[in-house]
Amino acid sequence: VLLHELGHAVAFRLYGHRPSITLQGFGGVTSADADLTPGRGIVVSLAGPLSALVLFGLPAWVVYASGSVTSYDAEVILGQVLFVNVGWSLLNLLPILPLDGGHVTRSVLDLVTDGRGDRPARVVSIAVAGVFGVWALSVDALFAAVLALLFVSMNITELSKAKSSAHEDEVAGAVRRILARDPRGALAAV
């Protein structure tokens, strides 16, 4: 987890920002007081999972595939290294917010929608998490299904908040126009 977060931190540093890493129960968060372009956001998002995948995951896979590990204990440890550094990295690349792949999706959509990629990225997140959850149930991966449900719920909640905020902005604009004695403008604003 720390290696993953250090990957994000190094990318932030490459762009001249001072990152902060907070480790949590299911992983961590690396942040910086930075307003990144979508392109730089993609690099920062990919730096975490790719660092763990390249530095630990691929070497562990090469050792595992070579068949040179013969002791049971070493094979178990190697399997865990593979699961954590390959499995979690690949899961983290799924286009589901708040995963890194979801951040990449949002940045790409920001590029093609002129900065309005959050809503479509959340819709993509809900769809992909839903499909992932159904697949997880079909293979009896209950933990993955619950995780998918959590992601669906989080993204629906964020969409709901954004919709409420947009309505509040419309009402505030209409009130401003009424106070400016522009009732036609107020009607047009809502």
Side-chain angles (χ1 to χ4, degrees):
V1 171
L2 185 56
L3 177 65
H4 174 104
E5 297 307 325
L6 285 171
H8 292 306
V10 167
F12 272 123
R13 294 290 296 198
L14 289 174
Y15 293 126
H17 302 290
R18 186 178 169 107
S20 171
I21 297 174
T22 304
L23 298 178
Q24 301 171 334
F26 266 114
V29 175
T30 301
S31 58
D33 192 17
D35 190 22
L36 299 174
T37 64
R40 288 183 173 191
I42 291 169
V43 171
V44 169
S45 294
L46 290 175
L50 293 180
S51 63
L53 190 62
V54 170
L55 295 176
F56 280 137
L58 291 179
W61 181 77
V62 168
V63 170
Y64 184 78
S66 73
S68 62
V69 176
T70 57
S71 93
Y72 175 76
D73 292 339
E75 194 171 312
V76 167
I77 292 170
L78 190 58
Q80 291 173 349
V81 169
L82 279 168
F83 175 74
V84 168
N85 292 288
V86 175
W88 279 108
S89 291
L90 294 176
L91 175 73
N92 204 354
L93 289 171
L94 289 175
I96 302 170
L97 285 166
L99 301 177
D100 290 321
H103 290 290
V104 169
T105 301
R106 180 173 47 205
S107 292
V108 168
L109 290 169
D110 275 344
L111 285 170
V112 299
T113 63
D114 202 26
R116 295 182 312 252
D118 189 64
R119 182 174 176 76
R122 294 210 178 271
V123 172
V124 168
S125 296
I126 292 166
V128 173
V131 169
F132 179 70
V134 169
W135 170 81
L137 285 173
S138 75
V139 297
D140 294 326
L142 186 58
F143 178 76
V146 169
L147 195 60
L149 179 62
L150 175 70
F151 291 145
V152 167
S153 174
M154 289 169 67
N155 282 287
I156 288 172
T157 299
E158 289 302 316
L159 279 175
S160 172
K161 283 182 191 176
K163 191 173 185 178
S164 291
S165 178
H167 289 311
E168 289 171 10
D169 290 346
E170 286 176 0
V171 170
V175 168
R176 278 193 301 277
R177 289 179 188 255
I178 288 171
L179 293 174
R181 298 177 188 204
D182 180 14
R184 287 188 178 153
L187 286 173
V190 287

